[in-house]
Amino acid sequence: MKTGAAILIESLKEEGVEIIFGYPGGAVLPIYDELYDAELTHILVRHEQAAVHAADGYARASGRVGVCLSTSGPGACNLISGIATANMDSVPIVALTGQVPTGMLGNDAFQESDITGITLPITKHNYLVKDARDIKMTVKAAFYIAGTGRNGPVLIDLPKDVLTAKVAAEEVLSGEPELRGYKPTLKGHSKQIKKALELIYNAKKPVIYAGGGVIAAGASEEMVRLAELFCLPVTTTLMGLGAIPAVHPLNLGMLGMHGTEYANYAVSESDLLIAIGARFDDRVTGKLSHFATHAKIIHIDIDPAEIGKNVNPDVPIVGDAKSVLADMICLAEKKGCISEPWLEQVKLWRKNHPLRVVNDGKVHPQNIIRKLSELLDGGGIIVSEVGQNQMWTAQHYGFKKPRQWISSGGLGTMGYGFPAAIGAWFAKPDETVVVIAGDGSFQMNIQELATVAQYKVPVKIVILNNMYLGMVRQWQELFYDRRYSYTELPSVDFVGIAKAYGIQGMRVDSVDQIDEALRTALDYDGPYLLDFQIERGENVYPMVPAGAAISEMIGKHNHNGGSDT
Ligand SMILES: Cc1ncc(C[n+]2csc(CCOP(=O)(O)OP(=O)(O)O)c2C)c(N)n1
């Protein structure tokens, strides 16, 4: 006879789970009792929100399913923004929650919350397990659903009596779960693929618009090969950074609200947009009716629900990006560079409209990120928080490969970065993991300094400290007449706080300290916090105001390469 909790742990191990991020409580005591001597690593975070973000960071860095565990009621509710974050960015996680005993469900019992009801719209699927015999099959199905098709979070709610129930081994349901109606389409339709190639052959101003789906599908190599075959310029979304090396001559960087000017011009002028694993998010398209108006559109996506959601493509292809692109490359007739004048035009835009960096002896965040990129040679795993820090990092770090860049894109969750960096390090302990944070975001999960100290997680924490909720302050400056309503943050002694947790740190307030400070942190054998006092009023440019066309940027250059604003 085995308890439900024992079956759960066994099932997790069968799925190859090696690490769980969690926080205990009454409803999950049976699971914690099993974990006491299980051959499974459990990381005790200091807030359930950090558990789910860590599981998410682990999943993004490794490509495997991340797992988190919380108790019922308040514990489960603390997972919500992390589950929603994973859902918006299609990250495979399995969240395990405790629940009150089945007999008390619906009674407003102590620490009860209807977590399957609450998370229904933000999970790919969720389960309330009412019988211990179902645990194994449920775990199997959950991992399968989370990690196939368009990846996403799955929640399993486990009532306490189900966890303590004893079941004979032969009673445990096993085998392959039957998932009626769930059959992701992996292979693209060959006729559509041929049509797409025809459009490419005939294009004069083509652009690839690559999203996070390229990285999720492991399709970067194929994407770059297709681009090289016909010399197609590539722009990526925030989530697609790393799909093509930053230094690749065809790479235009990010597009959209804080994209490069040249990417936004290229997309606006294009006559063919090849969207791969991207979802035409409003931060990318700006005013939809003005987005790529001259372009025919090919849309490749694994999720049929994405096709036609925001734009109607001329050639829709449902399938796994890796498989579709491989088929395209196979069928492609070699035509060489299809449009030299277009490449020349794009090059000219790039030359005349570069991202701006200022070297005036002050501490500017762009320079810090460029220096970090130089010192790590574009390597490492770079995790960001949300706000200006995120956009500066996206713009200026020279990412080389997929799964190097971890950031909350769709939901934009402050407090995500620090715990996600912890999870990423557990996935890739040989990598240098750096979290770049705003002073506001960092304070949202600052308690995880304790977790870092306890497990000696050698993450490097780079705070771009402007003593503001910077991105909101930027909007207030530009669109609310400089009325800085509740966005100023008082100075915090972050180094002192780090020290209190037993973590080393340094405050940096002059430009000539930047290089040495970064080197010190990177060389240090353990976690290290750098508190950079950056120019307080610095903005992220260029910027497409909400609701404008992406070619209408604030902070752009004039066409000779000089400054407009
Ligand atoms: C949980 C959460 N609350 C509020 C916001 C809205 N928001 C977006 S950016 C931002 C300011 C971020 O400030 P900070 O972390 O200091 O970073 P900075 O922009 O200064 O780099 C806020 C409040 C959010 N994205 N997430």
Side-chain angles (χ1 to χ4, degrees):
M1 298 289 263
K2 280 180 192 153
T3 63
I7 298 168
L8 175 74
I9 299 295
E10 251 179 45
S11 313
L12 292 173
K13 280 206 278 200
E14 272 175 37
E15 294 303 321
V17 175
E18 287 166 357
I19 190 163
I20 299 178
F21 303 92
Y23 203 88
V28 281
L29 273 174
I31 303 178
Y32 273 84
D33 193 54
E34 284 296 327
L35 281 171
Y36 188 68
D37 42 21
E39 284 160 25
L40 242 179
T41 306
H42 173 275
I43 302 299
L44 176 67
V45 292
R46 297 303 184 273
H47 190 305
E48 287 88 354
Q49 196 194 352
V52 59
H53 290 329
D56 174 312
Y58 174 92
R60 293 192 208 216
S62 65
R64 302 176 62 190
V65 178
V67 183
C68 62
L69 168 63
S70 82
T71 194
S72 65
C77 286
N78 277 345
L79 297 180
I80 289 167
S81 49
I83 294 173
T85 302
N87 193 51
M88 285 286 265
D89 288 348
S90 310
V91 179
I93 58 170
V94 169
L96 306 164
T97 50
Q99 184 54 281
V100 300
T102 43
M104 291 163 89
L105 280 170
N107 288 2
D108 289 341
F110 177 63
Q111 297 199 322
E112 178 182 6
S113 67
D114 173 12
I115 199 66
T116 48
I118 294 169
T119 59
L120 190 67
I122 54 164
T123 45
K124 189 169 171 190
H125 199 62
N126 66 26
Y127 294 94
L128 168 61
V129 184
K130 288 194 169 157
D131 189 325
R133 289 173 295 187
D134 295 337
I135 290 179
K136 190 176 166 139
M137 286 285 270
T138 308
V139 168
K140 210 166 195 180
F143 275 77
Y144 181 69
I145 291 172
T148 53
R150 178 182 188 158
N151 288 186
V154 178
L155 181 136
I156 309 177
D157 201 21
L158 298 148
K160 192 167 184 179
D161 58 324
V162 173
L163 291 171
T164 51
K166 289 203 167 134
V167 183
E170 61 275 13
E171 279 184 281
V172 176
L173 297 179
S174 61
E176 288 310 309
E178 202 199 313
L179 300 165
R180 263 183 297 137
Y182 181 70
K183 281 207 177 51
T185 306
L186 301 181
K187 194 141 177 64
H189 197 287
S190 62
K191 255 198 201 146
Q192 296 299 87
I193 287 176
K194 278 182 202 140
K195 268 196 208 163
L197 283 168
E198 281 305 319
L199 286 188
I200 293 176
Y201 302 150
N202 292 319
K204 298 216 163 25
K205 300 174 176 184
V207 175
I208 290 181
Y209 147 43
V214 173
I215 291 173
S220 309
E221 251 176 61
E222 288 79 0
M223 196 262 300
V224 173
R225 237 187 298 149
L226 183 76
E228 286 172 348
L229 205 55
F230 300 111
C231 308
L232 310 169
V234 180
T235 178
T236 78
T237 65
L238 180 81
M239 296 292 297
L241 287 171
I244 177 167
V247 295
H248 195 291
L250 288 169
N251 185 14
L252 301 177
M254 186 168 76
L255 82 164
M257 182 173 275
H258 292 297
T260 63
E261 285 180 57
Y262 37 100
N264 285 345
Y265 291 140
V267 169
S268 300
E269 293 286 313
S270 66
D271 68 352
L272 176 65
L273 198 60
I274 307 156
I276 313 171
R279 58 189 176 87
F280 296 87
D281 175 71
D282 55 273
R283 282 293 190 268
V284 158
T285 63
K287 191 173 188 169
L288 201 52
S289 58
H290 287 51
F291 181 68
T293 40
H294 318 293
K296 290 218 156 53
I297 290 175
I298 299 169
H299 191 181
I300 303 168
D301 207 290
I302 196 157
D303 183 356
E306 280 304 331
I307 307 273
K309 187 182 80 180
N310 292 330
V311 298
N312 273 324
D314 297 273
V315 179
I317 307 179
V318 177
D320 174 68
K322 192 177 178 75
S323 150
V324 172
L325 291 173
D327 286 354
M328 279 177 96
I329 293 163
C330 246
L331 290 174
E333 293 159 31
K334 184 117 182 63
K335 306 229 169 190
C337 279
I338 53 171
S339 187
E340 295 287 356
W342 176 235
L343 283 182
E344 285 310 311
Q345 169 67 76
V346 168
K347 251 191 225 159
L348 196 67
W349 277 326
R350 194 205 300 253
K351 179 168 162 273
N352 286 340
H353 306 266
L355 283 169
R356 256 181 258 197
V357 277
V358 186
N359 287 309
D360 59 359
K362 294 182 182 155
V363 184
H364 293 287
Q366 298 89 336
N367 298 334
I368 297 168
I369 289 154
R370 286 189 171 215
K371 188 72 198 168
L372 179 69
S373 187
E374 187 189 314
L375 292 175
L376 286 175
D377 191 24
I381 294 182
I382 309 299
V383 189
S384 83
E385 284 289 350
V386 167
Q388 294 179 313
N389 61 88
Q390 179 182 33
M391 293 302 140
W392 286 318
T393 311
Q395 290 180 335
H396 294 279
Y397 198 87
F399 298 102
K400 276 184 167 164
K401 50 180 205 272
R403 300 203 178 278
Q404 239 198 301
W405 161 241
I406 296 180
S407 190
S408 168
L411 201 66
T413 314
M414 286 172 73
Y416 166 83
F418 184 33
I422 298 173
W425 182 79
F426 278 106
K428 298 273 172 186
D430 297 331
E431 293 275 1
T432 303
V433 179
V434 183
V435 55
I436 297 177
D439 49 321
S441 301
F442 187 63
Q443 290 184 78
M444 282 216 174
N445 271 316
I446 196 167
Q447 76 286 343
E448 297 310 316
L449 283 167
T451 309
V452 163
Q454 180 181 355
Y455 296 100
K456 303 189 171 43
V457 180
V459 286
K460 314 302 174 189
I461 302 157
V462 171
I463 302 176
L464 302 177
N465 188 350
N466 48 17
M467 287 182 266
Y468 275 120
L469 296 170
M471 187 57 98
V472 185
R473 189 209 58 78
Q474 173 167 345
W475 282 57
Q476 289 172 333
E477 177 189 328
L478 298 173
F479 312 117
Y480 292 86
D481 220 7
R482 296 172 194 261
R483 288 157 55 83
Y484 300 129
S485 180
Y486 303 103
T487 44
E488 191 161 7
L489 301 174
S491 163
V492 172
D493 178 9
F494 284 114
V495 176
I497 292 173
K499 289 235 163 84
Y501 279 105
I503 291 169
Q504 293 297 314
M506 190 195 297
R507 188 183 144 111
V508 184
D509 37 29
S510 85
V511 73
D512 38 85
Q513 290 175 291
I514 294 176
D515 184 296
E516 200 198 313
L518 286 170
R519 280 178 201 271
T520 307
L522 294 175
D523 289 347
Y524 187 76
D525 185 18
Y528 203 98
L529 181 146
L530 291 172
D531 179 12
F532 286 99
Q533 310 294 302
I534 61 165
E535 279 302 291
R536 290 198 74 198
E538 185 109 20
N539 287 337
V540 185
Y541 288 128
M543 178 181 193
V544 178
I550 60 169
S551 55
E552 295 166 10
M553 290 163 274
I554 306 177
K556 63 185 178 187
H557 301 77
N558 61 40
H559 281 281
N560 304 318
S563 266
D564 261 0
T565 41

